[in-house]
Amino acid sequence: MHPASRAPRRAAAAVTVALLAAAVGCAPQPEEPAAGTSSAGNSCAKGELDTRTAGKLTIATDEPAYEPWFEGDDPASGKGFESAVAYAVARQLGYGKDKVVWQTVPFNKAFAPGEKTFDFDINQVSVSDERRKAVDFSSGYYDVRQAVVALKGSRAAKAKSVADLKDVKLGAQVGTTSLDYIDDVVRPTRAAAVFGKNDQAKSALKNGQVDAIVVDLPTAFYITGAEITDATIVGQFENQGGAPEQFGLVLDKGSALTSCVSRAVDALRGDGTLARIEQQWLSDAVDAPVLK
């Protein structure tokens, strides 16, 4: 009886050992994290991110690069709000100015579906659920409102409310929240004029092809202060919904860098860096009548 009882125990022990060996063999190894996951300790190591080019950080924006976001159409200068923010984020990630490579990407292409050629894009791109279907966004780096610009003395310049704009010929750049505000908030009786770039929208305003254009508020202040001096800011729109509209850095959908870049932006907001950069480059864009 005893030999017979030991045989099943030996068989059971063998099965147990085999199962343990299989379990150990299938266990995830620390040095090989699963695809699509990120380890805070490894993936966000300063200066050692899994970037497009090893040891470099590729940042994209449109051309021309407008003021006050970039100064002198030169993103690499570090001057202008978004240029300064881009380099601050780069430093936070462990990349000095000499490790940053700039790339030109049209506004609409930055958040269109498809693999990106940059690590992140900075170009006044507002975060939205619709855009999140195609790309990732960092935490917001700037809270923004949209504004209406018209020539002084024009009928559009006299508008005091959203209702006063319904019969006005409005224009905006394609793919922007500025255009969304025309279509969804103003709902004008005439279809909005749509332009490939803000330069075209500004030319149309100067030439009388449109009565007013919609742009973000800092851009409105720059247009009226430096580019079209006979234009005025009619007013700014209220934020739609509970949260403010925010600009975010654009990354490839599912990018392993998204959490690292968001942490960098959050750190810059937390230590006051973003506020200081805003004060330096956007301090003139502080107030305008609210259109209700």
Side-chain angles (χ1 to χ4, degrees):
M1 294 296 292
H2 294 295
S5 65
R6 283 198 296 271
R9 283 199 293 271
R10 283 197 297 269
V15 171
T16 301
V17 170
L19 290 173
L20 287 172
V24 170
C26 294
Q29 302 303 306
E31 66 274 14
E32 296 178 3
T37 64
S38 63
S39 167
N42 295 328
S43 64
C44 293
K46 288 184 179 294
E48 299 178 9
L49 303 183
D50 184 17
T51 54
R52 292 287 169 179
T53 302
K56 302 283 187 178
L57 187 67
T58 302
I59 305 176
T61 196
D62 202 354
E63 186 181 43
Y66 300 107
E67 298 193 28
W69 310 106
F70 301 91
E71 191 170 279
D73 191 20
D74 182 12
S77 69
K79 297 178 179 180
F81 178 76
E82 289 193 329
S83 182
V85 168
Y87 280 118
V89 171
R91 286 192 299 272
Q92 193 71 28
L93 294 172
Y95 296 88
K97 193 171 183 179
D98 62 325
K99 300 298 183 183
V100 172
V101 178
W102 285 92
Q103 185 181 99
T104 300
V105 173
F107 178 80
N108 270 350
K109 190 174 180 181
F111 52 86
E115 186 177 357
K116 306 308 175 192
T117 57
F118 50 77
D119 293 312
F120 69 76
D121 178 278
I122 183 167
N123 191 24
Q124 306 112 66
V125 181
S126 295
V127 179
S128 73
D129 290 338
E130 183 64 27
R131 289 173 178 170
R132 283 188 190 277
K133 294 176 182 178
V135 295
D136 281 359
F137 281 99
S138 71
S139 300
Y141 62 87
Y142 181 67
D143 296 354
V144 66
R145 284 194 177 191
Q146 300 299 315
V148 180
V149 175
L151 296 180
K152 294 175 181 177
S154 67
R155 183 166 65 94
K158 298 173 184 176
K160 303 296 183 185
S161 67
V162 172
D164 292 339
L165 296 170
K166 286 192 177 294
D167 294 324
V168 169
K169 181 63 175 178
L170 297 167
Q173 182 177 339
V174 65
T176 60
T177 50
S178 301
L179 184 58
D180 292 340
Y181 268 75
I182 295 175
D183 294 337
D184 301 336
V185 178
V186 179
R187 298 178 183 176
T189 56
R190 288 181 285 175
V194 181
F195 304 97
K197 291 183 178 291
N198 265 340
D199 276 350
Q200 297 168 353
K202 289 180 285 189
S203 294
L205 178 64
K206 288 191 288 187
N207 297 333
Q209 295 170 275
V210 294
D211 299 316
I213 59 175
V214 178
V215 294
D216 58 78
L217 187 58
T219 297
F221 272 94
Y222 184 76
I223 290 173
T224 56
E227 295 184 311
I228 311 176
T229 54
D230 59 340
T232 185
I233 298 175
V234 179
Q236 61 179 310
F237 293 105
E238 293 183 297
N239 283 321
Q240 301 300 300
E245 179 182 349
Q246 289 188 316
F247 291 158
L249 305 176
V250 182
L251 298 96
D252 209 352
K253 186 67 177 176
S255 171
L257 301 182
T258 301
S259 61
C260 304
V261 173
S262 283
R263 283 183 209 167
V265 173
D266 292 342
L268 295 172
R269 185 179 292 278
D271 68 13
T273 299
L274 289 182
R276 289 192 293 273
I277 295 174
E278 181 178 338
Q279 177 63 31
Q280 179 179 1
W281 296 106
L282 302 181
S283 59
D284 290 338
V286 292
D287 198 18
V290 177
L291 298 167
K292 298 183 178 181

